[in-house]
Amino acid sequence: MQALDQVRAVHAVRPLRQLTVVDMDSGRARALIEALEPELSGVDIVAATDAESAVRGAEIVCCATHATSPLFPESALPAQLHVNAIGAFRPTMRELPDELLATGTVVIDELDAVLEESGEIIHALRAGAITQDALTELGTALTSPPAEYGKRTVFKTVGIAMQDWAIARLLADKFLR
């Protein structure tokens, strides 16, 4: 359900040339592609069922699943890319491998929420792949960005109701007055 808006958001910031939609259900992948095609003219859009193959060579990867284990191995990823991970919003869920979190710059929406809900962050911390010091909250990343980001960046969000409300309010103020 989130995929359509995730693609739109990425395309608004980084116009896409290619898009691979990965879903084990080819009908859902096809439906998403059909919804996106009118908005993404000139973008080469394909469907796939193998996430590992799909991420090879990707510049941006968006994960929005209910997966309980990593969707792809770290070794399938190129040396430089950005990953948005918006699924895995329960401690028992994971979309990303520990090794990606250990080798990338990890920005999170809010520490307490992520420590309570994000399966991949919880798992990586317990496994010793990362420490809490390796996590940068979004507000800090925006106001005091690090001097240098790693070649791999990850944004992990579990969704913060207050942020959703604030964004909705800003949009309402801008467009409904």
Side-chain angles (χ1 to χ4, degrees):
M1 296 186 70
Q2 293 278 339
L4 186 65
D5 287 333
Q6 291 300 310
V7 172
R8 287 174 173 151
V10 169
H11 187 62
V13 176
R14 295 269 314 266
L16 300 171
R17 294 182 312 272
Q18 295 178 298
L19 172 66
T20 302
V21 175
V22 179
D23 198 313
M24 299 306 292
D25 181 330
S26 60
R28 281 194 315 222
R30 189 75 229 146
L32 178 59
I33 290 170
E34 288 172 4
L36 287 167
E37 283 177 329
E39 299 176 41
L40 301 178
S41 63
V43 177
D44 179 26
I45 308 174
V46 297
T49 57
D50 178 30
E52 183 174 344
S53 296
V55 299
R56 293 190 191 282
E59 294 177 9
I60 301 169
V61 173
C62 291
C63 305
T65 74
H66 293 121
T68 56
S69 61
L71 300 170
F72 42 78
E74 179 271 341
S75 61
L77 298 168
Q80 186 170 336
L81 87 155
H82 174 73
V83 177
N84 286 327
I86 69 162
F89 50 86
R90 293 191 180 120
T92 57
M93 301 169 128
R94 290 175 63 205
E95 292 179 314
L96 307 178
D98 291 346
E99 299 83 4
L100 170 60
L101 299 174
T103 60
T105 299
V106 181
V107 176
I108 58 172
D109 47 8
E110 197 270 330
L111 183 62
D112 290 338
V114 166
L115 294 177
E116 185 176 319
E117 299 176 31
S118 172
E120 55 254 305
I121 298 294
I122 294 167
H123 188 277
L125 286 166
R126 288 182 181 160
I130 61 170
T131 64
Q132 281 190 31
D133 293 341
L135 305 173
T136 303
E137 286 188 325
L138 181 59
T140 301
L142 294 173
T143 58
S144 303
E148 186 175 304
Y149 283 100
K151 291 190 181 264
R152 289 180 175 171
T153 55
V154 175
F155 176 59
K156 174 58 193 167
T157 180
V158 292
I160 305 296
M162 184 56 77
Q163 288 176 354
D164 294 344
W165 180 87
I167 291 168
R169 179 61 190 236
L170 288 169
L171 290 171
D173 287 348
K174 180 172 181 160
F175 294 108
L176 297 179
R177 287 189 177 186

